Amino acid sequence: MTLNDLVFQHLESDHDVEQHLELMKAVFGADGRVDIMARKWIDHHPAMSLSDFFVIKHRNKIVSGLNLIPSIWSIGGVQLKVAELACVATLPEYRHQGLQRRLMNKYHDRLSSQGYDLSAIEGIPYYYRQFGYEYAIPLDEQIRIKLDQIPDFSIKHKIRPFKTGDIPKAMQLLGQSQRKFYIHTIRAKDIWKMQQETEMVAEYKFEAHVVEEKGVEIAYFRMNENQPEKTLMLREVTDVDQATAQSILGFLKDIGKKRGLETLVATISGLEPFTEHMVAIGGVKQPPYAWQMRVTDYAKLFQKMKPLLDKRLASSTYRHITEKISFNFYRYTVQLTIQDGAIAGIKRLETSEDRTIRANPMVFTQLLLGYRSREELQAIYPDFIIRPSRRNLIDVLFPKMPSYIHTEY
Ligand SMILES: CC(C)(COP(=O)(O)OP(=O)(O)OC[C@H]1O[C@@H](n2cnc3c(N)ncnc32)[C@H](O)[C@@H]1OP(=O)(O)O)[C@@H](O)C(=O)NCCC(=O)NCCS
C-alpha cells in the first residue's frame, strides 16, 4: 500500500454513504446498530451534514472513518460549542498504519477553524489520551435494582405516552432538572423532534411517557428494554418528588414484569432525585466511566467563560483585585489581566516563566470542568503545582461541581 493509494475526504455521494455504513457494520457488528445510528444522522440530524463524516479511502473503498456531532453545552450558564467525536473505526487489515491519526488531525483542524470550544468522546479507555483527551465529566452513571425488590407501589398519577405536542413542556422540565448540573447539554427543539420522529436516541429505540398530576404534566421519562440481558433501562427522567417516583417505579415494575424482564437499570445521574428514591428501596449504584474531553484553545475558552469568571471574582474576597494571573501550561502561558476584580484581558504567551500556577494542560481540563478540585489534583499530580498564594483564588475561579450530559443525538 503506498500513500498515494490512500485518499482523505468527507462523504460526498450515496455510494460513499453506503460504504460508510458497511464500515460501521464491519467494525462494530450489525448488533451494535451503529450503522443504523449513522443512517439516522445522515437522514434526520438537523445540524449534521456529509461533511461531518471524515473518511479515508483505499483505492476507492472506505477503510477508516470518524465523525463529528455538533452540540451546544452549558457551563455555568455560558454556552459552549461542543463537537462530539463518534464512530471511530478502521477495518482490521488497515489498522496501525496511522489512518486514525490522520483523521484526528483533520478533525481537530476543523474544530479550530469552526470555533468549537470542546471535543468530547465517550470512547474506549486510554486510546484518546494520545490526542490530548482527559477524563473530565462523569459518564455511564448507573443504578440497578431487581424488579422483585421494588415494592408494589400504587400508581397515583396518570402516566401516558409522550406525544410530539409534549415537546415544549418537556423542554421546560428538562431545563429545570438540568439546573443542578454545572455542565449540561442544551437540547435544541430540532433534536427533540429528531428523537421523537425516529423513536431513537443514539442507536437504541426508546419509549417515552409523561406523568400528569391533576391534568398538569409534572415529569417525563424515557425507557427501553434490553431483552438479552432481561433489563428495563430507564434512560432519562426529570425531577420528581417521592410520590411521583413511586408511581413511576410502580409503572416500570408492571411493564418490566409483563415483558419478562428482571432488573431495572437507570442510566441517570447519581444526583437525580429519582436515584435517591431507588437507593431508598435498595437500588445499588455502579461505578461510573467518564467523558474524555479536549479543550481546543484555553485562551479562547477563558474568553468565553469570562462572564462566569467575573461573576465568581465579584462574589468573592477578590472583588477588587488588580493583578496578572498566569496559567503556566509548561509549553506556553495563558495570562489573565484583572483590573478592579474584572478580567480586562486574556492573552497567550509563548513563555513559561511565571511558576506560580503550573499545570499539565490535560489535567487542567479536570479543574476547568469542575470534575476535581484544585486540592485533589495537587494531591494526585506532582506536575500540578499551585503556590499557596494562589490556591484560594484558583478555588474561587474553578470550584468542583457536578455535571451530567444528556444524550443529544
Ligand atoms: C482504535 C482504532 C480506531 C485505531 O485505528 P487505527 O487506524 O489503527 O489507528 P492509527 O494507526 O492511526 O493509530 C493511532 C495511534 O494509536 C495507537 N493505537 C492504535 N490502536 C490502539 C489501541 N487500541 N490502544 C492504544 N493505542 C492504539 C497507534 O499505535 C498509533 O500511535 P502511534 O502513531 O504513536 O504509533 C481501531 O483499532 C478500531 O477500529 N478499533 C475497533 C473500533 C473501536 O474500538 N473504535 C473506538 C470506538 S470509541
Side-chain angles (χ1 to χ4, degrees), residues 374-390:
R374 187 268 313 153
E375 194 174 5
E376 287 169 338
L377 293 172
Q378 275 199 276
I380 302 168
Y381 299 98
D383 57 357
F384 189 91
I385 307 166
I386 318 286
R387 294 219 176 122
S389 62
R390 287 292 192 226

Side-chain angles (χ1 to χ4, degrees), residues 196-338:
Q196 184 67 11
E197 280 162 15
T198 60
E199 297 173 358
M200 271 173 79
V201 170
E203 81 296 344
Y204 63 85
K205 285 260 172 200
F206 74 100
E207 303 162 54
H209 288 86
V210 171
V211 184
E212 287 183 12
E213 190 172 71
K214 297 182 185 136
V216 177
E217 301 88 350
I218 56 164
Y220 75 84
F221 59 92
R222 290 173 161 188
M223 59 180 211
N224 72 313
E225 61 183 72
N226 180 339
Q227 271 295 348
E229 294 190 7
K230 295 204 176 304
T231 50
L232 183 62
M233 313 291 295
L234 178 72
R235 298 288 192 163
E236 192 166 300
V237 61
T238 49
D239 275 353
V240 285
D241 64 8
Q242 189 189 38
T244 314
Q246 291 183 349
S247 289
I248 295 174
L249 282 162
F251 178 89
L252 293 174
K253 179 174 179 174
D254 277 1
I255 223 164
K257 287 272 182 190
K258 279 189 196 127
R259 296 183 188 183
L261 305 173
E262 291 171 0
T263 309
L264 172 64
V265 178
T267 55
I268 58 176
S269 165
L271 274 192
E272 284 301 341
F274 196 87
T275 304
E276 302 298 324
H277 296 297
M278 281 185 74
V279 170
I281 55 168
V284 178
K285 287 186 186 177
Q286 309 296 313
Y289 190 51
W291 283 86
Q292 296 167 69
M293 304 296 302
R294 180 180 184 274
V295 172
T296 310
D297 181 326
Y298 274 113
K300 286 190 178 146
L301 189 51
F302 281 5
Q303 191 63 48
K304 237 186 189 170
M305 289 174 68
K306 175 177 148 39
L308 180 64
L309 301 177
D310 278 344
K311 204 161 77 182
R312 287 177 177 161
L313 287 172
S315 54
S316 79
T317 183
Y318 303 105
R319 60 188 166 275
H320 292 304
I321 61 164
T322 295
E323 281 179 40
K324 285 192 190 325
I325 303 175
S326 295
F327 293 85
N328 176 340
F329 292 120
Y330 290 102
R331 288 178 166 170
Y332 65 96
T333 296
V334 175
Q335 191 179 67
L336 271 54
T337 302
I338 303 181

Side-chain angles (χ1 to χ4, degrees), residues 11 33 109 120 132 174 195 357:
L11 294 185
R33 292 175 56 93
D109 286 349
L174 178 62
Q195 293 179 336
I357 300 169

Side-chain angles (χ1 to χ4, degrees), residues 324-370:
K324 285 192 190 325
I325 303 175
S326 295
F327 293 85
N328 176 340
F329 292 120
Y330 290 102
R331 288 178 166 170
Y332 65 96
T333 296
V334 175
Q335 191 179 67
L336 271 54
T337 302
I338 303 181
Q339 273 170 9
D340 197 20
I343 298 170
I346 297 171
K347 63 178 173 192
R348 179 180 159 122
L349 309 171
E350 301 308 321
T351 62
S352 44
E353 276 160 25
D354 187 334
R355 294 156 68 88
T356 327
I357 300 169
R358 278 179 287 169
N360 165 339
M362 277 165 70
V363 168
F364 193 82
T365 309
Q366 297 189 31
L367 183 78
L368 185 90
L369 302 183

Side-chain angles (χ1 to χ4, degrees), residues 27-28 64 87-91 94-102 121-128 130-131:
V27 173
F28 298 108
S64 184
C87 303
V88 176
T90 299
L91 286 177
Y94 289 86
R95 289 180 190 165
H96 294 287
Q97 296 179 55
L99 269 50
Q100 281 297 331
R101 186 169 286 281
R102 198 167 153 193
I121 169 92
E122 299 181 36
I124 51 170
Y126 176 66
Y127 174 74
Y128 294 95
Q130 63 190 316
F131 301 114

Side-chain angles (χ1 to χ4, degrees), residues 14 29 58 68 77 79 89 107 125 136 146 152 155 170 187 199 222 242 285 325 358 408:
D14 289 347
H58 180 234
L68 185 167
Q79 289 195 11
Y107 169 81
K146 289 275 173 208
D152 290 319
I155 302 170
R187 185 174 296 158
E199 297 173 358
R222 290 173 161 188
Q242 189 189 38
K285 287 186 186 177
I325 303 175
R358 278 179 287 169
E408 301 306 332

